[in-house]
PDB file of all heavy atoms in Angstrom:
ATOM      1  N   GLU Z   1     102.250-232.095 -75.431  1.00 98.00           N
ATOM      2  CA  GLU Z   1     103.495-231.357 -75.164  1.00 98.00           C
ATOM      3  C   GLU Z   1     104.638-232.322 -74.858  1.00 98.00           C
ATOM      4  O   GLU Z   1     105.775-232.109 -75.306  1.00 98.00           O
ATOM      5  CB  GLU Z   1     103.277-230.390 -74.001  1.00 98.00           C
ATOM      6  CG  GLU Z   1     102.365-229.217 -74.361  1.00 98.00           C
ATOM      7  CD  GLU Z   1     102.069-228.311 -73.181  1.00 98.00           C
ATOM      8  OE1 GLU Z   1     102.408-228.704 -72.031  1.00 98.00           O
ATOM      9  OE2 GLU Z   1     101.498-227.222 -73.394  1.00 98.00           O
ATOM     10  N   TYR Z   2     104.356-233.376 -74.104  1.00 98.00           N
ATOM     11  CA  TYR Z   2     105.386-234.384 -73.822  1.00 98.00           C
ATOM     12  C   TYR Z   2     105.885-234.999 -75.122  1.00 98.00           C
ATOM     13  O   TYR Z   2     107.100-235.155 -75.332  1.00 98.00           O
ATOM     14  CB  TYR Z   2     104.834-235.473 -72.902  1.00 98.00           C
ATOM     15  CG  TYR Z   2     105.828-236.589 -72.649  1.00 98.00           C
ATOM     16  CD1 TYR Z   2     106.682-236.548 -71.553  1.00 98.00           C
ATOM     17  CD2 TYR Z   2     105.944-237.673 -73.532  1.00 98.00           C
ATOM     18  CE1 TYR Z   2     107.618-237.555 -71.339  1.00 98.00           C
ATOM     19  CE2 TYR Z   2     106.868-238.676 -73.327  1.00 98.00           C
ATOM     20  CZ  TYR Z   2     107.706-238.616 -72.231  1.00 98.00           C
ATOM     21  OH  TYR Z   2     108.648-239.599 -72.027  1.00 98.00           O
ATOM     22  N   ALA Z   3     104.959-235.380 -75.995  1.00 98.00           N
ATOM     23  CA  ALA Z   3     105.344-236.018 -77.260  1.00 98.00           C
ATOM     24  C   ALA Z   3     106.204-235.070 -78.102  1.00 98.00           C
ATOM     25  O   ALA Z   3     107.191-235.491 -78.713  1.00 98.00           O
ATOM     26  CB  ALA Z   3     104.100-236.441 -78.033  1.00 98.00           C
ATOM     27  N   LYS Z   4     105.832-233.805 -78.139  1.00 97.00           N
ATOM     28  CA  LYS Z   4     106.631-232.833 -78.898  1.00 97.00           C
ATOM     29  C   LYS Z   4     108.032-232.697 -78.318  1.00 97.00           C
ATOM     30  O   LYS Z   4     109.030-232.696 -79.060  1.00 97.00           O
ATOM     31  CB  LYS Z   4     105.931-231.470 -78.889  1.00 97.00           C
ATOM     32  CG  LYS Z   4     104.725-231.373 -79.806  1.00 97.00           C
ATOM     33  CD  LYS Z   4     104.210-229.943 -79.816  1.00 97.00           C
ATOM     34  CE  LYS Z   4     103.102-229.756 -80.825  1.00 97.00           C
ATOM     35  NZ  LYS Z   4     102.642-228.348 -80.890  1.00 97.00           N
ATOM     36  N   ASN Z   5     108.113-232.604 -77.022  1.00 97.00           N
ATOM     37  CA  ASN Z   5     109.414-232.390 -76.369  1.00 97.00           C
ATOM     38  C   ASN Z   5     110.331-233.598 -76.485  1.00 97.00           C
ATOM     39  O   ASN Z   5     111.555-233.460 -76.421  1.00 97.00           O
ATOM     40  CB  ASN Z   5     109.206-232.041 -74.895  1.00 97.00           C
ATOM     41  CG  ASN Z   5     108.560-230.682 -74.706  1.00 97.00           C
ATOM     42  OD1 ASN Z   5     108.646-229.806 -75.566  1.00 97.00           O
ATOM     43  ND2 ASN Z   5     107.893-230.487 -73.572  1.00 97.00           N
ATOM     44  N   ASN Z   6     109.744-234.791 -76.654  1.00 96.00           N
ATOM     45  CA  ASN Z   6     110.547-236.017 -76.690  1.00 96.00           C
ATOM     46  C   ASN Z   6     110.582-236.681 -78.063  1.00 96.00           C
ATOM     47  O   ASN Z   6     111.070-237.800 -78.182  1.00 96.00           O
ATOM     48  CB  ASN Z   6     110.001-237.005 -75.652  1.00 96.00           C
ATOM     49  CG  ASN Z   6     110.268-236.577 -74.229  1.00 96.00           C
ATOM     50  OD1 ASN Z   6     111.323-236.871 -73.668  1.00 96.00           O
ATOM     51  ND2 ASN Z   6     109.315-235.879 -73.626  1.00 96.00           N
ATOM     52  N   LYS Z   7     110.060-235.982 -79.085  1.00 97.00           N
ATOM     53  CA  LYS Z   7     109.965-236.550 -80.429  1.00 97.00           C
ATOM     54  C   LYS Z   7     109.301-237.928 -80.382  1.00 97.00           C
ATOM     55  O   LYS Z   7     109.737-238.881 -81.035  1.00 97.00           O
ATOM     56  CB  LYS Z   7     111.351-236.639 -81.083  1.00 97.00           C
ATOM     57  CG  LYS Z   7     111.950-235.283 -81.425  1.00 97.00           C
ATOM     58  CD  LYS Z   7     113.248-235.432 -82.196  1.00 97.00           C
ATOM     59  CE  LYS Z   7     113.787-234.067 -82.627  1.00 97.00           C
ATOM     60  NZ  LYS Z   7     115.065-234.189 -83.381  1.00 97.00           N
ATOM     61  N   ALA Z   8     108.262-238.018 -79.582  1.00 98.00           N
ATOM     62  CA  ALA Z   8     107.511-239.257 -79.410  1.00 98.00           C
ATOM     63  C   ALA Z   8     106.246-239.210 -80.258  1.00 98.00           C
ATOM     64  O   ALA Z   8     105.879-238.167 -80.811  1.00 98.00           O
ATOM     65  CB  ALA Z   8     107.169-239.462 -77.944  1.00 98.00           C
ATOM     66  N   LEU Z   9     105.578-240.350 -80.349  1.00 98.00           N
ATOM     67  CA  LEU Z   9     104.316-240.437 -81.079  1.00 98.00           C
ATOM     68  C   LEU Z   9     103.251-241.025 -80.168  1.00 98.00           C
ATOM     69  O   LEU Z   9     103.497-241.989 -79.446  1.00 98.00           O
ATOM     70  CB  LEU Z   9     104.461-241.330 -82.323  1.00 98.00           C
ATOM     71  CG  LEU Z   9     103.182-241.472 -83.163  1.00 98.00           C
ATOM     72  CD1 LEU Z   9     102.905-240.193 -83.945  1.00 98.00           C
ATOM     73  CD2 LEU Z   9     103.274-242.663 -84.117  1.00 98.00           C
ATOM     74  N   ILE Z  10     102.048-240.447 -80.218  1.00 98.00           N
ATOM     75  CA  ILE Z  10     100.901-240.954 -79.474  1.00 98.00           C
ATOM     76  C   ILE Z  10     100.005-241.749 -80.415  1.00 98.00           C
ATOM     77  O   ILE Z  10      99.649-241.267 -81.491  1.00 98.00           O
ATOM     78  CB  ILE Z  10     100.089-239.797 -78.856  1.00 98.00           C
ATOM     79  CG1 ILE Z  10     100.939-239.006 -77.857  1.00 98.00           C
ATOM     80  CG2 ILE Z  10      98.819-240.321 -78.187  1.00 98.00           C
ATOM     81  CD1 ILE Z  10     100.307-237.694 -77.432  1.00 98.00           C
ATOM     82  N   LEU Z  11      99.663-242.966 -80.032  1.00 98.00           N
ATOM     83  CA  LEU Z  11      98.637-243.734 -80.728  1.00 98.00           C
ATOM     84  C   LEU Z  11      97.375-243.604 -79.889  1.00 98.00           C
ATOM     85  O   LEU Z  11      97.282-244.181 -78.796  1.00 98.00           O
ATOM     86  CB  LEU Z  11      99.056-245.198 -80.881  1.00 98.00           C
ATOM     87  CG  LEU Z  11     100.308-245.449 -81.729  1.00 98.00           C
ATOM     88  CD1 LEU Z  11     100.556-246.952 -81.891  1.00 98.00           C
ATOM     89  CD2 LEU Z  11     100.205-244.788 -83.100  1.00 98.00           C
ATOM     90  N   PHE Z  12      96.417-242.843 -80.387  1.00 98.00           N
ATOM     91  CA  PHE Z  12      95.244-242.450 -79.607  1.00 98.00           C
ATOM     92  C   PHE Z  12      94.022-243.230 -80.072  1.00 98.00           C
ATOM     93  O   PHE Z  12      93.532-243.054 -81.185  1.00 98.00           O
ATOM     94  CB  PHE Z  12      94.997-240.948 -79.757  1.00 98.00           C
ATOM     95  CG  PHE Z  12      93.953-240.405 -78.820  1.00 98.00           C
ATOM     96  CD1 PHE Z  12      94.258-240.172 -77.483  1.00 98.00           C
ATOM     97  CD2 PHE Z  12      92.674-240.112 -79.268  1.00 98.00           C
ATOM     98  CE1 PHE Z  12      93.308-239.668 -76.615  1.00 98.00           C
ATOM     99  CE2 PHE Z  12      91.717-239.611 -78.404  1.00 98.00           C
ATOM    100  CZ  PHE Z  12      92.029-239.386 -77.073  1.00 98.00           C
ATOM    101  N   ASP Z  13      93.532-244.114 -79.209  1.00 98.00           N
ATOM    102  CA  ASP Z  13      92.370-244.945 -79.502  1.00 98.00           C
ATOM    103  C   ASP Z  13      91.113-244.200 -79.062  1.00 98.00           C
ATOM    104  O   ASP Z  13      90.857-244.047 -77.865  1.00 98.00           O
ATOM    105  CB  ASP Z  13      92.514-246.271 -78.756  1.00 98.00           C
ATOM    106  CG  ASP Z  13      91.434-247.278 -79.138  1.00 98.00           C
ATOM    107  OD1 ASP Z  13      90.398-246.864 -79.699  1.00 98.00           O
ATOM    108  OD2 ASP Z  13      91.623-248.480 -78.846  1.00 98.00           O
ATOM    109  N   ALA Z  14      90.334-243.751 -80.044  1.00 98.00           N
ATOM    110  CA  ALA Z  14      89.107-242.999 -79.772  1.00 98.00           C
ATOM    111  C   ALA Z  14      87.879-243.781 -80.226  1.00 98.00           C
ATOM    112  O   ALA Z  14      86.890-243.203 -80.682  1.00 98.00           O
ATOM    113  CB  ALA Z  14      89.164-241.635 -80.454  1.00 98.00           C
ATOM    114  N   ALA Z  15      87.918-245.099 -80.078  1.00 97.00           N
ATOM    115  CA  ALA Z  15      86.824-245.945 -80.564  1.00 97.00           C
ATOM    116  C   ALA Z  15      85.493-245.631 -79.897  1.00 97.00           C
ATOM    117  O   ALA Z  15      84.434-245.909 -80.459  1.00 97.00           O
ATOM    118  CB  ALA Z  15      87.179-247.416 -80.349  1.00 97.00           C
ATOM    119  N   TYR Z  16      85.535-245.026 -78.700  1.00 97.00           N
ATOM    120  CA  TYR Z  16      84.297-244.771 -77.952  1.00 97.00           C
ATOM    121  C   TYR Z  16      83.945-243.286 -77.882  1.00 97.00           C
ATOM    122  O   TYR Z  16      83.154-242.874 -77.039  1.00 97.00           O
ATOM    123  CB  TYR Z  16      84.430-245.362 -76.541  1.00 97.00           C
ATOM    124  CG  TYR Z  16      84.656-246.847 -76.576  1.00 97.00           C
ATOM    125  CD1 TYR Z  16      85.941-247.382 -76.583  1.00 97.00           C
ATOM    126  CD2 TYR Z  16      83.583-247.732 -76.660  1.00 97.00           C
ATOM    127  CE1 TYR Z  16      86.152-248.747 -76.660  1.00 97.00           C
ATOM    128  CE2 TYR Z  16      83.788-249.104 -76.741  1.00 97.00           C
ATOM    129  CZ  TYR Z  16      85.068-249.602 -76.737  1.00 97.00           C
ATOM    130  OH  TYR Z  16      85.272-250.961 -76.820  1.00 97.00           O
ATOM    131  N   GLU Z  17      84.506-242.492 -78.784  1.00 97.00           N
ATOM    132  CA  GLU Z  17      84.305-241.041 -78.722  1.00 97.00           C
ATOM    133  C   GLU Z  17      82.838-240.644 -78.854  1.00 97.00           C
ATOM    134  O   GLU Z  17      82.421-239.618 -78.306  1.00 97.00           O
ATOM    135  CB  GLU Z  17      85.139-240.337 -79.793  1.00 97.00           C
ATOM    136  CG  GLU Z  17      84.917-240.800 -81.227  1.00 97.00           C
ATOM    137  CD  GLU Z  17      83.686-240.212 -81.871  1.00 97.00           C
ATOM    138  OE1 GLU Z  17      83.282-239.092 -81.476  1.00 97.00           O
ATOM    139  OE2 GLU Z  17      83.103-240.880 -82.753  1.00 97.00           O
ATOM    140  N   ALA Z  18      82.025-241.421 -79.552  1.00 97.00           N
ATOM    141  CA  ALA Z  18      80.624-241.061 -79.758  1.00 97.00           C
ATOM    142  C   ALA Z  18      79.841-241.024 -78.456  1.00 97.00           C
ATOM    143  O   ALA Z  18      78.773-240.401 -78.390  1.00 97.00           O
ATOM    144  CB  ALA Z  18      79.969-242.046 -80.724  1.00 97.00           C
ATOM    145  N   PHE Z  19      80.365-241.666 -77.412  1.00 98.00           N
ATOM    146  CA  PHE Z  19      79.663-241.706 -76.139  1.00 98.00           C
ATOM    147  C   PHE Z  19      79.941-240.482 -75.269  1.00 98.00           C
ATOM    148  O   PHE Z  19      79.329-240.322 -74.211  1.00 98.00           O
ATOM    149  CB  PHE Z  19      80.016-242.995 -75.391  1.00 98.00           C
ATOM    150  CG  PHE Z  19      79.495-244.219 -76.092  1.00 98.00           C
ATOM    151  CD1 PHE Z  19      80.235-244.839 -77.087  1.00 98.00           C
ATOM    152  CD2 PHE Z  19      78.242-244.723 -75.788  1.00 98.00           C
ATOM    153  CE1 PHE Z  19      79.743-245.951 -77.759  1.00 98.00           C
ATOM    154  CE2 PHE Z  19      77.741-245.832 -76.456  1.00 98.00           C
ATOM    155  CZ  PHE Z  19      78.494-246.451 -77.445  1.00 98.00           C
ATOM    156  N   VAL Z  20      80.848-239.635 -75.707  1.00 98.00           N
ATOM    157  CA  VAL Z  20      81.129-238.398 -74.972  1.00 98.00           C
ATOM    158  C   VAL Z  20      79.981-237.423 -75.205  1.00 98.00           C
ATOM    159  O   VAL Z  20      79.767-236.952 -76.319  1.00 98.00           O
ATOM    160  CB  VAL Z  20      82.474-237.778 -75.409  1.00 98.00           C
ATOM    161  CG1 VAL Z  20      82.663-236.420 -74.732  1.00 98.00           C
ATOM    162  CG2 VAL Z  20      83.629-238.713 -75.071  1.00 98.00           C
ATOM    163  N   GLN Z  21      79.246-237.125 -74.153  1.00 96.00           N
ATOM    164  CA  GLN Z  21      78.117-236.209 -74.231  1.00 96.00           C
ATOM    165  C   GLN Z  21      78.434-234.845 -73.639  1.00 96.00           C
ATOM    166  O   GLN Z  21      77.751-233.862 -73.925  1.00 96.00           O
ATOM    167  CB  GLN Z  21      76.917-236.813 -73.498  1.00 96.00           C
ATOM    168  CG  GLN Z  21      76.509-238.190 -74.001  1.00 96.00           C
ATOM    169  CD  GLN Z  21      76.069-238.190 -75.452  1.00 96.00           C
ATOM    170  OE1 GLN Z  21      75.066-237.568 -75.795  1.00 96.00           O
ATOM    171  NE2 GLN Z  21      76.819-238.874 -76.314  1.00 96.00           N
ATOM    172  N   ASP Z  22      79.451-234.785 -72.792  1.00 96.00           N
ATOM    173  CA  ASP Z  22      79.872-233.531 -72.165  1.00 96.00           C
ATOM    174  C   ASP Z  22      80.709-232.740 -73.170  1.00 96.00           C
ATOM    175  O   ASP Z  22      81.815-233.145 -73.531  1.00 96.00           O
ATOM    176  CB  ASP Z  22      80.688-233.842 -70.912  1.00 96.00           C
ATOM    177  CG  ASP Z  22      81.035-232.602 -70.090  1.00 96.00           C
ATOM    178  OD1 ASP Z  22      80.984-231.484 -70.653  1.00 96.00           O
ATOM    179  OD2 ASP Z  22      81.378-232.761 -68.908  1.00 96.00           O
ATOM    180  N   GLU Z  23      80.188-231.624 -73.636  1.00 94.00           N
ATOM    181  CA  GLU Z  23      80.868-230.844 -74.669  1.00 94.00           C
ATOM    182  C   GLU Z  23      82.182-230.237 -74.191  1.00 94.00           C
ATOM    183  O   GLU Z  23      82.979-229.752 -74.991  1.00 94.00           O
ATOM    184  CB  GLU Z  23      79.937-229.737 -75.181  1.00 94.00           C
ATOM    185  CG  GLU Z  23      78.880-230.226 -76.160  1.00 94.00           C
ATOM    186  CD  GLU Z  23      79.483-230.851 -77.412  1.00 94.00           C
ATOM    187  OE1 GLU Z  23      80.505-230.326 -77.912  1.00 94.00           O
ATOM    188  OE2 GLU Z  23      78.949-231.867 -77.881  1.00 94.00           O
ATOM    189  N   ARG Z  24      82.422-230.257 -72.895  1.00 95.00           N
ATOM    190  CA  ARG Z  24      83.708-229.753 -72.383  1.00 95.00           C
ATOM    191  C   ARG Z  24      84.834-230.760 -72.616  1.00 95.00           C
ATOM    192  O   ARG Z  24      86.010-230.401 -72.531  1.00 95.00           O
ATOM    193  CB  ARG Z  24      83.587-229.444 -70.885  1.00 95.00           C
ATOM    194  CG  ARG Z  24      82.614-228.322 -70.552  1.00 95.00           C
ATOM    195  CD  ARG Z  24      82.375-228.237 -69.057  1.00 95.00           C
ATOM    196  NE  ARG Z  24      81.758-229.471 -68.550  1.00 95.00           N
ATOM    197  CZ  ARG Z  24      81.472-229.685 -67.264  1.00 95.00           C
ATOM    198  NH1 ARG Z  24      81.759-228.757 -66.359  1.00 95.00           N
ATOM    199  NH2 ARG Z  24      80.915-230.830 -66.892  1.00 95.00           N
ATOM    200  N   LEU Z  25      84.464-232.020 -72.888  1.00 97.00           N
ATOM    201  CA  LEU Z  25      85.460-233.065 -73.089  1.00 97.00           C
ATOM    202  C   LEU Z  25      85.788-233.214 -74.565  1.00 97.00           C
ATOM    203  O   LEU Z  25      84.910-233.123 -75.416  1.00 97.00           O
ATOM    204  CB  LEU Z  25      84.939-234.401 -72.551  1.00 97.00           C
ATOM    205  CG  LEU Z  25      84.688-234.482 -71.041  1.00 97.00           C
ATOM    206  CD1 LEU Z  25      84.020-235.801 -70.696  1.00 97.00           C
ATOM    207  CD2 LEU Z  25      85.990-234.325 -70.262  1.00 97.00           C
ATOM    208  N   PRO Z  26      87.052-233.466 -74.900  1.00 97.00           N
ATOM    209  CA  PRO Z  26      87.427-233.669 -76.307  1.00 97.00           C
ATOM    210  C   PRO Z  26      86.963-235.015 -76.816  1.00 97.00           C
ATOM    211  O   PRO Z  26      86.952-236.005 -76.074  1.00 97.00           O
ATOM    212  CB  PRO Z  26      88.956-233.588 -76.271  1.00 97.00           C
ATOM    213  CG  PRO Z  26      89.318-234.051 -74.887  1.00 97.00           C
ATOM    214  CD  PRO Z  26      88.214-233.564 -73.993  1.00 97.00           C
ATOM    215  N   ARG Z  27      86.565-235.066 -78.077  1.00 97.00           N
ATOM    216  CA  ARG Z  27      86.218-236.334 -78.715  1.00 97.00           C
ATOM    217  C   ARG Z  27      87.334-236.789 -79.652  1.00 97.00           C
ATOM    218  O   ARG Z  27      87.292-237.901 -80.180  1.00 97.00           O
ATOM    219  CB  ARG Z  27      84.903-236.199 -79.464  1.00 97.00           C
ATOM    220  CG  ARG Z  27      83.742-235.992 -78.507  1.00 97.00           C
ATOM    221  CD  ARG Z  27      82.422-235.728 -79.185  1.00 97.00           C
ATOM    222  NE  ARG Z  27      81.949-236.874 -79.961  1.00 97.00           N
ATOM    223  CZ  ARG Z  27      80.718-236.965 -80.451  1.00 97.00           C
ATOM    224  NH1 ARG Z  27      79.839-235.987 -80.238  1.00 97.00           N
ATOM    225  NH2 ARG Z  27      80.350-238.012 -81.154  1.00 97.00           N
ATOM    226  N   SER Z  28      88.298-235.925 -79.875  1.00 98.00           N
ATOM    227  CA  SER Z  28      89.453-236.247 -80.706  1.00 98.00           C
ATOM    228  C   SER Z  28      90.682-235.584 -80.110  1.00 98.00           C
ATOM    229  O   SER Z  28      90.598-234.474 -79.559  1.00 98.00           O
ATOM    230  CB  SER Z  28      89.253-235.733 -82.136  1.00 98.00           C
ATOM    231  OG  SER Z  28      90.466-235.800 -82.868  1.00 98.00           O
ATOM    232  N   ILE Z  29      91.827-236.235 -80.241  1.00 98.00           N
ATOM    233  CA  ILE Z  29      93.062-235.611 -79.758  1.00 98.00           C
ATOM    234  C   ILE Z  29      93.427-234.411 -80.616  1.00 98.00           C
ATOM    235  O   ILE Z  29      94.152-233.514 -80.181  1.00 98.00           O
ATOM    236  CB  ILE Z  29      94.222-236.631 -79.706  1.00 98.00           C
ATOM    237  CG1 ILE Z  29      95.350-236.084 -78.805  1.00 98.00           C
ATOM    238  CG2 ILE Z  29      94.711-236.987 -81.116  1.00 98.00           C
ATOM    239  CD1 ILE Z  29      96.395-237.107 -78.445  1.00 98.00           C
ATOM    240  N   TYR Z  30      92.853-234.339 -81.841  1.00 98.00           N
ATOM    241  CA  TYR Z  30      93.167-233.219 -82.719  1.00 98.00           C
ATOM    242  C   TYR Z  30      92.458-231.935 -82.309  1.00 98.00           C
ATOM    243  O   TYR Z  30      92.669-230.881 -82.925  1.00 98.00           O
ATOM    244  CB  TYR Z  30      92.859-233.584 -84.174  1.00 98.00           C
ATOM    245  CG  TYR Z  30      93.621-234.811 -84.619  1.00 98.00           C
ATOM    246  CD1 TYR Z  30      92.959-235.948 -85.079  1.00 98.00           C
ATOM    247  CD2 TYR Z  30      95.015-234.855 -84.545  1.00 98.00           C
ATOM    248  CE1 TYR Z  30      93.651-237.079 -85.459  1.00 98.00           C
ATOM    249  CE2 TYR Z  30      95.719-235.989 -84.923  1.00 98.00           C
ATOM    250  CZ  TYR Z  30      95.030-237.100 -85.376  1.00 98.00           C
ATOM    251  OH  TYR Z  30      95.722-238.225 -85.741  1.00 98.00           O
ATOM    252  N   GLU Z  31      91.650-232.005 -81.267  1.00 98.00           N
ATOM    253  CA  GLU Z  31      91.106-230.789 -80.679  1.00 98.00           C
ATOM    254  C   GLU Z  31      92.167-230.061 -79.857  1.00 98.00           C
ATOM    255  O   GLU Z  31      91.944-228.929 -79.427  1.00 98.00           O
ATOM    256  CB  GLU Z  31      89.880-231.116 -79.821  1.00 98.00           C
ATOM    257  CG  GLU Z  31      88.698-231.630 -80.627  1.00 98.00           C
ATOM    258  CD  GLU Z  31      87.494-231.984 -79.766  1.00 98.00           C
ATOM    259  OE1 GLU Z  31      87.196-231.199 -78.838  1.00 98.00           O
ATOM    260  OE2 GLU Z  31      86.865-233.023 -80.017  1.00 98.00           O
ATOM    261  N   ILE Z  32      93.300-230.721 -79.645  1.00 98.00           N
ATOM    262  CA  ILE Z  32      94.425-230.114 -78.932  1.00 98.00           C
ATOM    263  C   ILE Z  32      95.395-229.530 -79.950  1.00 98.00           C
ATOM    264  O   ILE Z  32      95.823-230.210 -80.892  1.00 98.00           O
ATOM    265  CB  ILE Z  32      95.164-231.168 -78.067  1.00 98.00           C
ATOM    266  CG1 ILE Z  32      94.164-231.970 -77.215  1.00 98.00           C
ATOM    267  CG2 ILE Z  32      96.222-230.489 -77.226  1.00 98.00           C
ATOM    268  CD1 ILE Z  32      93.276-231.141 -76.332  1.00 98.00           C
ATOM    269  N   GLU Z  33      95.741-228.289 -79.787  1.00 97.00           N
ATOM    270  CA  GLU Z  33      96.626-227.606 -80.738  1.00 97.00           C
ATOM    271  C   GLU Z  33      97.951-228.358 -80.877  1.00 97.00           C
ATOM    272  O   GLU Z  33      98.585-228.715 -79.890  1.00 97.00           O
ATOM    273  CB  GLU Z  33      96.890-226.177 -80.274  1.00 97.00           C
ATOM    274  CG  GLU Z  33      97.727-225.361 -81.239  1.00 97.00           C
ATOM    275  CD  GLU Z  33      97.947-223.927 -80.790  1.00 97.00           C
ATOM    276  OE1 GLU Z  33      97.411-223.555 -79.720  1.00 97.00           O
ATOM    277  OE2 GLU Z  33      98.651-223.180 -81.506  1.00 97.00           O
ATOM    278  N   GLY Z  34      98.352-228.598 -82.104  1.00 97.00           N
ATOM    279  CA  GLY Z  34      99.628-229.247 -82.387  1.00 97.00           C
ATOM    280  C   GLY Z  34      99.593-230.756 -82.374  1.00 97.00           C
ATOM    281  O   GLY Z  34     100.597-231.407 -82.700  1.00 97.00           O
ATOM    282  N   ALA Z  35      98.452-231.351 -82.023  1.00 98.00           N
ATOM    283  CA  ALA Z  35      98.390-232.818 -81.921  1.00 98.00           C
ATOM    284  C   ALA Z  35      98.612-233.492 -83.273  1.00 98.00           C
ATOM    285  O   ALA Z  35      99.097-234.630 -83.325  1.00 98.00           O
ATOM    286  CB  ALA Z  35      97.054-233.255 -81.329  1.00 98.00           C
TER     287      ALA Z  35
END
């Protein structure tokens, strides 16, 4: 939401996403609507 409001860009490093075992946690920023 901050990036949208400020016309900013997020560089999201998800190199360790495979280690996320808790399904409540996102493994990609694209799990967030509008990302």
Side-chain angles (χ1 to χ4, degrees):
E1 290 176 349
Y2 176 92
K4 285 186 174 183
N5 292 336
N6 290 273
K7 291 186 176 180
L9 180 74
I10 298 168
L11 297 184
F12 189 77
D13 187 342
Y16 300 92
E17 56 80 28
F19 293 87
V20 174
Q21 304 298 296
D22 187 340
E23 282 300 321
R24 296 170 298 178
L25 296 173
R27 293 175 65 168
S28 168
I29 197 168
Y30 302 121
E31 294 179 42
I32 311 304
E33 184 178 358

